[in-house]
Amino acid sequence: MQWSEFSFYIRHFTLSQQKSIQKAFDLAQKAHEGQKRESGEEYFTHPVAVARLLIDMGADADTIIAALLHDTVEDTSVTMADIEGKFPAAVARLIDGLTKLNYEDVAHQASLNEKIETIRKIFTVMQTDIRIMTIKLADRLHNMQTIGFRPIEKQRRVAQETMDIYVKIADRLCMRRVRDELESMSLQILKPDLMPHLLEIRRKNEETSKSVLTSILQSAERNVRKLPFTILIEEKSWDNLQLQYSLEQKGRIISPLINLAFVCKDVEDCYTTLGILHQTWQRDELSFQDYINTPIINGYEAIHTTIIMENGMRIQCKIRTTDMQEYAWKGITTRCFDAKERGLLDYLPWTKHISPVSQDTANRSDIFWLSLQNDILGESILVHGEGNNIQLLPAQSTALDAVFYLYGEKGIYTKEIYINDQPAAFHTELENSCTIQASFDGAMQVKLEWLRSVHTGVAAAMIRESLSKQDKKIKQDLGQALLEEYLRHKRRGYISEFDRNVIEKNLSAQRQFGLDILYEQIAEGRMTVEEVESILFQQTVAQKKSSLTKKRLYTFICDIATTSLMPFGAMMQMYDIRKMKVLKATKERRKLEFEIRLSEGEKTNMSIAMNQLAPGKYEIAPTISYYRRIAFTCLLFLLWGLDPAATKLLLQYTGISIAEISIIFFGTLTILSGCFLAWVRAHQILPEAKLSLRNPSLLLTAILFFLTALTTYAAVRETMPSHYTIPMTIAGIILTTIVNRKRVMLLAITWAIVVAGLALLVGKNPDWSTEGMIYTALSIASFTAFSIISERYKRKEKVSLRAAQYFFALSVLGLIFSLPLLAFSSFNNLTPSSIGLVVICTILISGLPYYIYYYLLSHREFDFVLRFSFLIIPGTILSESILMGIPNMYTLIAGVIVSCGAFLPTAYINMFAKKNDA
């Protein structure tokens, strides 16, 4: 388009304004020269089309200039300095706000997303000058009008983004004409098979509306000499058309709901019209809404009522003044193009919430995205406070959210909350039009836990601000406790296991503060434990960049409220989801499981976001296939069950003594655990603090470990493998369940069964030697003491991440304690093959099971292994049957009884407890 043609559309501007617009036109035309769109057209046709759309909306000169130049800084050699030197400062601010952020602007932080941060930038500028959003909507509108030249996958991606963001923004600004067009074009791409049906429904509704309109006018004129209104047919929204189509597909016969707009001269005539309608026709009691008295969140005003015609047809009547009618369709554009720079707050006071949400989520793109979906673009409910205080809150808001909306910063003193005069928990989700009251204390009541009771970013921002004012020592202790709890849950270990100097160095490099301030940030809710995990476990910038691009498959399980499904769905669109399935569904919640491919940075961001949507009700772990889990678990049980049988054969047929096999065992284990420790350290990002070999508890644990091995070899030499395994398993069952005080009756039954199995084993095996029983009892006692002391030591010294180091220390100390046994050994009499067999068996049936167990623990399979660990008994019986012959009948029966008793708690939980929970 040439200037001579374009100038026709701006002839209503002053000559001075037309000259400025022409200067922008010429600059943009020259800057975009040679650039092409995907359609093959000159690129300059796009900014001209955007400017034309804005002219039709009634835009002022500065907005038209910014529209013509909005892509120049981003896509051409034109700079912001060029813009600032030639045009008003407002134009430069609009163009700068519209210019996308580059990857380099956000690449230094894993929690930032280029696209979301660009949206944040637009919303930030929008607060001071709403015209930026009108330009962005016009830009998106023209891009959607010409989207047919793009690849289909890109069309779908852009259409979904349009639905998620720009359709909602247009609705929030009450720009229904723009909203409907954007939504229509998006649906044509996302649901192409549905659109013909919706258009047909719209056509039929329009035909019906014309006859209804005539009937209403005739009936009204019979009762009123001069009607104070004119009637217009109003098209139903695409959402309502989809609902109507869905009901028809289900076979429900429905009368189409006709929308009519009654346009009046002034507000007085609006209420007069309402009276005429209610006097002439029956009305739907529940449909009346006075949005003149209480405007909708987007500034929309009208009176809504539904009348019922003689034939039963329902007519939704929207009564507005002429100005209200124009605003209903054009929205904010009827007010913002008055040559005055004003932000959204001047027109729509609710937008004061944008700033705290944006500031509170700084450096966290996913959280800003969720807050944008919930607080700003989501559905709204209305709540009543004391007096005439009425607030519009995001849907799914809680009682505590409402207090902060109604009372502001006074909310931090909240003691009790009442919904409709009834006491309510802070986290209670609100219903539309409820009444909220609160009582307050003289002292600040705010707690970190409150962040789990709010749904809105506004309330969260006020809570965090208040938490920041608490005593430093209290915040540091709380922050450390929260981080410790999270790291244990994620099997990252304890914070004290790491080298503090390295942690401080990493923090200084990335966040310019130390560990104590980090704890304060957690306690104030300004940093999440997920973010801290990301900082601590990424050592270098190179590693960090690599982790942002390298992806792996994770299994994700979350228990999410149905009210959070919409923002959850919006968040999920950003990720590669696979195999989504519903594990459990109720009216209030959904338990979902899916696989998702994420980089380390994406995993951190997603965890942060999910902590907002489902705090404490989600898990994420590296994916391990079902078959691999079964294979590794079976192998683990097989090796554990094989251990006593293989050991007995070695003692019988190689001529090796207990002293010699103990020395070889600990020597082999030391080498094996040393190699494993070296591998772990090579793959660790943070070096861990070292365990002291002189710790008395560690020394006692090592002595008991040594005695357990020694007495086990003696017991296996003197008795059958199954006679050793069954009592040892019983001891493990009792030791595990004795700390569990829940379901006492169930545990009592379990103990009774396993003790009965033990009695049968002892009573019906007269050939079981006294020495064998004694050594077995000593082995059980040593193992029990070892388990108790080692767990106490690991808990006290916080040994979690340092498991490989701990295992190596035990092996080394065990080897040291076994060296005096050399005096009772005669290695010269052993053949190399005998020694080799002991080494191989030690590696396969002692070392390998430990590493399989370690692997399963790292993949969150601890409960699975623990529930079925009693399968060691059939594993041992099977090994004994193959290597030595089938045990006697009573041993087999005892094994079955003990296995059944051990399986009873697992069976109960799987069959009954879960059913009761559901």
Side-chain angles (χ1 to χ4, degrees), residues 517-756:
I517 295 179
L518 178 76
Y519 293 147
E520 292 177 33
Q521 294 274 302
I522 295 172
E524 292 171 9
R526 299 188 183 279
M527 289 187 70
T528 66
V529 286
E530 291 88 353
E531 287 177 287
V532 175
E533 178 192 28
S534 176
I535 293 170
L536 293 180
F537 292 92
Q538 293 191 26
Q539 187 177 29
T540 65
V541 175
Q543 285 176 323
K544 189 169 185 177
K545 288 183 176 179
S546 173
S547 71
L548 292 177
T549 56
K550 187 177 180 180
K551 297 190 176 186
R552 65 178 300 180
L553 201 61
Y554 293 90
T555 297
F556 200 105
I557 299 176
C558 65
D559 186 354
I560 193 165
T562 52
T563 51
S564 298
L565 287 176
M566 185 176 293
F568 172 76
M571 185 184 75
M572 289 296 97
Q573 289 165 10
M574 295 187 289
Y575 299 106
D576 178 15
I577 300 176
R578 309 175 181 193
K579 299 182 180 178
M580 172 77 80
K581 62 181 179 180
V582 179
L583 299 180
K584 187 170 78 171
T586 65
K587 185 177 180 181
E588 294 80 18
R589 307 198 69 83
R590 295 287 187 277
K591 189 170 185 180
L592 307 173
E593 180 183 86
F594 52 89
E595 292 181 1
I596 183 166
R597 189 168 291 280
L598 300 168
S599 66
E600 185 65 25
E602 288 174 333
K603 181 171 82 73
T604 300
N605 290 344
M606 186 172 177
S607 295
I608 294 168
M610 285 308 303
N611 197 48
Q612 298 287 317
L613 286 174
K617 294 183 179 293
Y618 73 94
E619 292 185 21
I620 184 168
T623 296
I624 174 173
S625 71
Y626 175 79
Y627 297 107
R628 180 180 293 184
R629 178 176 67 170
I630 292 296
F632 276 122
T633 305
C634 290
L635 179 59
L636 179 66
F637 293 146
L638 178 64
L639 293 174
W640 274 343
L642 176 63
D643 190 359
T647 302
K648 187 172 184 66
L649 281 180
L650 285 174
L651 291 169
Q652 283 183 343
Y653 297 110
T654 63
I656 195 169
S657 69
I658 293 174
E660 293 159 352
I661 195 172
S662 297
I663 296 169
I664 297 173
F665 169 78
F666 284 108
T668 304
L669 216 55
T670 298
I671 296 172
L672 193 64
S673 59
C675 293
F676 180 62
L677 177 61
W679 182 88
V680 168
R681 287 188 168 174
H683 290 79
Q684 276 181 337
I685 294 174
L686 281 178
E688 79 276 10
K690 294 181 180 180
L691 293 173
S692 172
L693 293 178
R694 292 178 293 180
N695 185 294
S697 295
L698 179 60
L699 291 173
L700 179 58
T701 302
I703 290 172
L704 290 170
F705 182 43
F706 167 72
L707 291 176
T708 300
L710 205 63
T711 54
T712 295
Y713 291 137
V716 169
R717 184 187 63 183
E718 299 296 333
T719 188
M720 297 301 292
S722 56
H723 294 175
Y724 165 80
T725 298
I726 292 174
M728 182 63 79
T729 304
I730 291 173
I733 293 168
I734 294 176
L735 185 64
T736 302
T737 58
I738 201 169
V739 297
N740 188 348
R741 301 184 186 276
K742 296 181 180 180
R743 302 188 179 101
V744 176
M745 182 59 69
L746 176 68
L747 295 182
I749 295 172
T750 299
W751 287 12
I753 293 173
V754 298
V755 170

Side-chain angles (χ1 to χ4, degrees), residues 80 91-100 121 125 132:
M80 283 305 304
V91 172
R93 282 195 294 272
L94 288 172
I95 294 172
D96 181 57
L98 289 162
T99 302
K100 293 178 183 176
K121 181 182 177 185
V125 177
I132 187 175

Side-chain angles (χ1 to χ4, degrees), residues 810-839:
L810 285 183
S811 302
V812 170
L813 290 172
L815 178 62
I816 293 172
F817 294 143
S818 67
L819 291 180
L821 296 177
L822 286 171
F824 307 95
S825 305
S826 179
F827 280 98
N828 294 332
N829 297 330
L830 294 177
T831 63
S833 60
S834 298
I835 296 175
L837 278 173
V838 175
V839 171

